[in-house]
Amino acid sequence: LAKTTQPISMDSYEGQEVNITCSHNNIATNDYITWYQQFPSQGPRFIIQGYKTKVTNEVASLFIPADRKSSTLSLPRVSLSDTAVYYCLVGGKAAGNKLTFGGGTRVLVKP
Amino acid sequence: ETGVTQSPTHLIKTRGQQVTLRCSSQSGHNTVSWYQQALGQGPQFIFQYYREEENGRGNFPPRFSGLQFPNYSSELNVNALELDDSALYLCASSRLAVSSYNEQFFGPGTRLTVL
C-alpha cells in the first residue's frame, strides 16, 4: 500500500481557504486518493475521493496533478466547525477496502 | 437509512479480562471492518468481514477475533486484555464492490479502557 505524508498540523482563521497537501510517491496505477475528516471521539467521515485532475463536491475540492504523486485537499471558507483531523489515504481494488490511515493533519480554525 | 451503530459507548476492563464489542452495519452494506485508534494516532486496520468470512487482517495478534452475522452485524472479541489495548475501537461498513474503491461509513466507536 502506498504510504502518505502530510503535515502534522495547520492553523487557519474563519473564512479562509485551507489547503492540505499529501505526498504519495509510490501510488499505484489503480489507486484512488481519498480524504477523511475526524472530529474528537467520533469515527472518520468520508470527504472526497479522486483518481486524477480535479474533483469538487459540496464541501471540498481535491486537486491531483498529472503524475499523481501528491494531492491537495482544499476547504473553502472554513468555519470553526471545520476544526478536525484530516486524513489522506491511498488505495484501490487490491486494498479491498482495508483503509490505511497515517497520522493525519490537525487543522485548527481560529475565530 | 440507519447509520453504523456501536455498543457499548464506553467500557472499562482490567488486564487479563475478555471483551466483546458490537457493531450494526448500515443498511445494504455487506462488509464490516474494525479499526483500533490509540490516542493521538490514526486508526489501524484490525480485520474485515465480508459475507460472514474474514476478508483480510492487519498486524494484530490472534487474541483479536471477530464474527459477522447473517444480518451483516459484527462483533470484535479481545481476549487476555493488555494495557495497550486501551483505545477507541471503530467499526466501518461498506458495500464491497468488484471494481471500485468504496467509501466506508464509520460508527462513533467504543472507548475501551484497560486498567
Side-chain angles (χ1 to χ4, degrees):
Chain A
L1 296 172
K3 182 181 176 180
T4 60
T5 302
Q6 51 184 122
I8 294 174
S9 64
M10 297 179 69
D11 287 358
S12 184
Y13 291 90
E14 282 190 293
Q16 288 191 335
E17 178 182 80
V18 171
N19 296 305
I20 309 171
T21 296
C22 177
S23 297
H24 30 78
N25 292 317
N26 297 323
I27 190 169
T29 303
N30 62 349
D31 283 347
Y32 286 78
I33 299 156
T34 310
W35 287 80
Y36 279 78
Q37 173 194 56
Q38 186 176 27
F39 299 113
S41 298
Q42 294 187 25
R45 182 176 73 102
F46 174 92
I47 301 176
I48 197 166
Q49 182 181 90
Y51 183 79
K52 61 181 179 181
T53 62
K54 176 184 174 182
V55 179
T56 297
N57 61 23
E58 63 276 9
V59 298
S61 294
L62 179 59
F63 299 91
I64 306 169
D67 66 5
R68 303 197 334 119
K69 293 184 183 300
S70 67
S71 59
T72 299
L73 174 72
S74 180
L75 306 172
R77 298 180 299 282
V78 293
S79 63
L80 296 178
S81 62
D82 292 317
T83 292
V85 178
Y86 293 82
Y87 294 97
C88 167
L89 293 86
V90 173
K93 177 181 172 183
N97 288 345
K98 305 169 187 69
L99 302 180
T100 299
F101 290 83
T105 297
R106 297 182 180 278
V107 173
L108 174 62
V109 180
K110 303 174 182 178
Chain B
E1 187 176 78
T2 305
V4 179
T5 60
Q6 293 186 243
S7 62
T9 306
H10 297 87
L11 201 53
I12 299 175
K13 292 284 189 178
T14 56
R15 276 195 315 176
Q17 285 190 312
Q18 178 266 343
V19 69
T20 297
L21 309 182
R22 295 178 174 82
C23 170
S24 292
S25 60
Q26 187 161 315
S27 176
H29 287 182
N30 55 17
T31 304
V32 173
S33 303
W34 286 91
Y35 296 81
Q36 179 195 64
Q37 186 173 26
L39 202 60
Q41 299 181 23
Q44 300 299 306
F45 174 74
I46 302 175
F47 45 55
Q48 180 183 90
Y49 279 83
Y50 170 62
R51 292 185 176 179
E52 302 178 57
E53 298 284 334
E54 187 176 288
N55 183 41
R57 188 179 184 93
N59 189 27
F60 280 82
R63 58 189 185 84
F64 286 78
S65 63
L67 282 173
Q68 187 181 31
F69 300 100
N71 66 354
Y72 302 127
S73 65
S74 178
E75 286 183 355
L76 164 65
N77 299 291
V78 187
N79 293 322
L81 284 167
E82 301 176 359
L83 296 180
D84 286 348
D85 295 334
S86 294
L88 181 68
Y89 287 84
L90 296 161
C91 165
S93 76
S94 60
R95 186 182 296 113
L96 189 66
V98 174
S99 60
S100 66
Y101 182 65
N102 288 328
E103 173 184 351
Q104 293 197 17
F105 295 81
F106 284 82
T110 293
R111 173 72 63 188
L112 172 66
T113 301
V114 182
L115 302 176

